[in-house]
Amino acid sequence: MQRIPDLPTIPNRPMYIFLLVLTLANAVGYQGWSTLYTNFAVHEAGLTGAQNGLVQSLREVPGLLSIGVILLLLVLREHRLAALSVVMLGVGVLAAGFFPTLGGIVFTTMLMSFGFHYFETTNQSLILQYFDVRTAPLIIGRLRGLNAGGNLAIGAVIFLAAGVLPFSGLFAISGGLAVLAGLWALTQDPRAQGLPVQRRGMVMRKRYWLFYLLTLLGGARRQIFIVFSAFLLVERFEFGVREMTLFFMLNNAVNWFLNPLIGKAINAVGERRLLVMECLSLAGICLAYTVVEARWLVGLLYVLDQIFFNFIVAVRTYFQKIADPADIAPSMAVSVAVNHVAAVVVPVAGGMLWMMDFRIPFYLGAALAGCSLVATLFMRVPVRGASC
């Protein structure tokens, strides 16, 4: 198993530092919003399950429009777009607490979401361009571990400040830190010479079909966790702000240590085995949500849900091993858009189904995990890439 190089010897270290800072900023902003949103929506804005589903579906529209990154890259350097995206995310989060209405929540959520999804697109692209197929999984694992560390830090701040500051102040802390980091990144130039020139315009190839399918299914399945698992805890089990914050902190404490190990596991056992484990685990967890009655047990399921979903990064490293290096940037934009095709539909449809029976969205999640399992069995990686 290859050990990740020490920080001074990591290839393209300026880009690593650049992405590290923006990853932490993205984590602080987005996690702050995620920690506060459900309680803010339920207790301050009074959103119903259907309205929450609508907001969550609209939140994913910017992901569907991530194809716009391809156009923006015609006029902006990719690293500049990454920095601007974090600034936009921060502004949306900072403003969120000042608008406790359905319309206000939709507006600030959309602003935050454009920043989040455009950063995710450029971040994935830059990692796969600047680091080789053996180093990239390790870099992804390390950055996701640091992302969890940033989530844990902002979670601790919110937990301590929740009894003192209003929602507006809590949102402002998270968003303001992200804005400051994004502005710093705008002053940096971490580019390196000699990398493959990325193709301009949209790139969709028949030989990438499995990557697109796994991305589509993963995007739909992700919404069950993000939207309905958290809503289950708040609405049916009545977890408060501090209790939800503790769950987020526990999730991220685990992920802080787990994500670097996932990067190493990709090199050790391959993407297919890791994704099979993910699909089986998530299917079981979704079915368990439908029958659990104990608060502590539903909380445990929520933590396990987060842990196993981290394995989805193997889909990206699989793509790096089968792709033409010049296709990375445009393909990442396409993949984020594909990821959100189902993600735009699932929350609003699931919200309506929730009103009929809260179990139905989780049955849907189990079915999606089963479909992903079947698709994963078709995965093959060329010898030049790595093991699978």
Side-chain angles (χ1 to χ4, degrees):
M1 185 182 298
Q2 180 174 325
R3 180 179 179 275
I4 191 167
D6 293 331
L7 184 58
T9 60
I10 288 178
N12 299 310
R13 186 170 181 267
M15 181 58 73
Y16 174 79
I17 298 297
F18 179 83
L19 293 176
L20 183 154
V21 172
L22 287 183
T23 295
L24 288 174
N26 183 66
V28 167
Y30 184 72
Q31 185 65 29
W33 182 89
S34 298
T35 302
L36 296 166
Y37 166 76
T38 303
N39 287 96
F40 180 70
V42 172
H43 300 303
E44 291 286 311
L47 268 58
T48 66
Q51 288 174 324
N52 177 61
L54 174 63
V55 172
Q56 297 287 8
S57 283
L58 291 174
R59 179 177 63 83
E60 297 300 340
V61 169
L64 187 62
L65 298 178
S66 291
I67 203 75
V69 168
I70 295 172
L71 299 177
L72 291 174
L73 291 179
L74 297 176
V75 295
L76 285 173
R77 299 286 187 184
E78 196 164 5
H79 68 285
R80 296 271 185 215
L81 180 56
L84 285 171
S85 298
V86 170
V87 172
M88 182 182 297
L89 175 145
V91 171
V93 175
L94 190 154
F98 295 100
F99 301 95
T101 65
L102 177 60
I105 288 176
V106 167
F107 174 75
T108 57
T109 297
M110 292 289 285
L111 188 62
M112 176 279 299
S113 186
F114 267 109
F116 175 80
H117 287 101
Y118 278 36
F119 172 70
E120 284 297 298
T121 301
T122 51
N123 180 44
Q124 293 175 31
S125 172
L126 290 169
I127 290 174
L128 298 184
Q129 288 179 59
Y130 277 75
F131 304 100
D132 62 47
V133 295
R134 294 292 292 179
T135 306
L138 305 175
I139 294 293
I140 292 173
R142 174 175 283 194
L143 289 179
R144 285 177 66 89
L146 291 171
N147 183 86
N151 292 345
L152 184 61
I154 195 61
V157 170
I158 291 174
F159 179 81
L160 294 173
V164 179
L165 295 177
F167 277 106
S168 57
L170 298 174
F171 277 115
I173 291 173
S174 300
L177 291 172
V179 169
L180 290 175
L183 292 175
W184 169 85
L186 285 172
T187 68
Q188 306 300 304
D189 186 359
R191 289 175 295 169
Q193 302 298 317
L195 297 176
V197 177
Q198 296 299 295
R199 290 190 174 88
R200 293 174 178 258
M202 185 181 298
V203 172
M204 292 193 73
R205 303 193 188 283
K206 184 177 180 180
R207 63 191 178 94
Y208 300 157
W209 71 270
L210 183 56
F211 169 68
Y212 299 141
L213 178 59
L214 289 170
T215 300
L216 177 67
L217 292 169
R221 195 170 70 250
R222 174 175 172 266
Q223 297 310 306
I224 304 299
F225 170 71
I226 291 178
V227 180
F228 299 106
S229 297
F231 203 68
L232 179 72
L233 267 63
V234 173
E235 184 182 73
R236 295 190 62 84
F237 290 87
E238 300 181 346
F239 285 95
V241 174
R242 284 195 165 183
E243 289 173 309
M244 290 301 294
T245 302
L246 283 175
F247 275 119
F248 285 126
M249 292 172 66
L250 178 59
N251 280 347
N252 286 293
V254 173
N255 292 340
W256 190 357
F257 296 100
L258 178 66
N259 274 296
L261 298 179
I262 292 174
K264 294 179 179 180
I266 290 173
N267 282 342
V269 304
E271 287 84 355
R272 184 171 59 184
R273 291 180 184 175
L274 216 59
L275 290 172
V276 166
M277 186 186 303
E278 179 216 17
C279 294
L280 292 173
S281 301
L282 291 179
I285 289 169
C286 283
L287 292 175
Y289 277 133
T290 68
V291 297
V292 68
E293 295 182 358
R295 291 178 98 239
W296 70 268
L297 187 52
V298 76
L300 176 61
L301 290 174
Y302 187 73
V303 173
L304 292 173
D305 204 341
Q306 172 68 55
I307 288 173
F308 285 108
F309 194 79
N310 284 314
F311 292 6
I312 197 67
V313 298
V315 174
R316 300 179 204 165
T317 60
Y318 161 71
F319 176 72
Q320 185 188 31
K321 293 169 182 175
I322 66 169
D324 183 331
D327 289 345
I328 296 294
S331 294
M332 285 301 101
V334 169
S335 75
V336 173
V338 168
N339 180 281
H340 289 81
V341 170
V344 170
V345 177
V346 168
V348 67
M352 294 177 182
L353 294 172
W354 177 285
M355 303 300 286
M356 299 168 55
D357 187 333
F358 80 92
R359 299 174 184 84
I360 299 177
F362 297 112
Y363 291 140
L364 175 61
L368 289 167
C371 293
S372 294
L373 174 62
V374 173
T376 298
L377 297 178
F378 287 90
M379 183 179 287
R380 298 291 184 274
V381 175
V383 175
R384 68 176 178 85
S387 61
C388 190

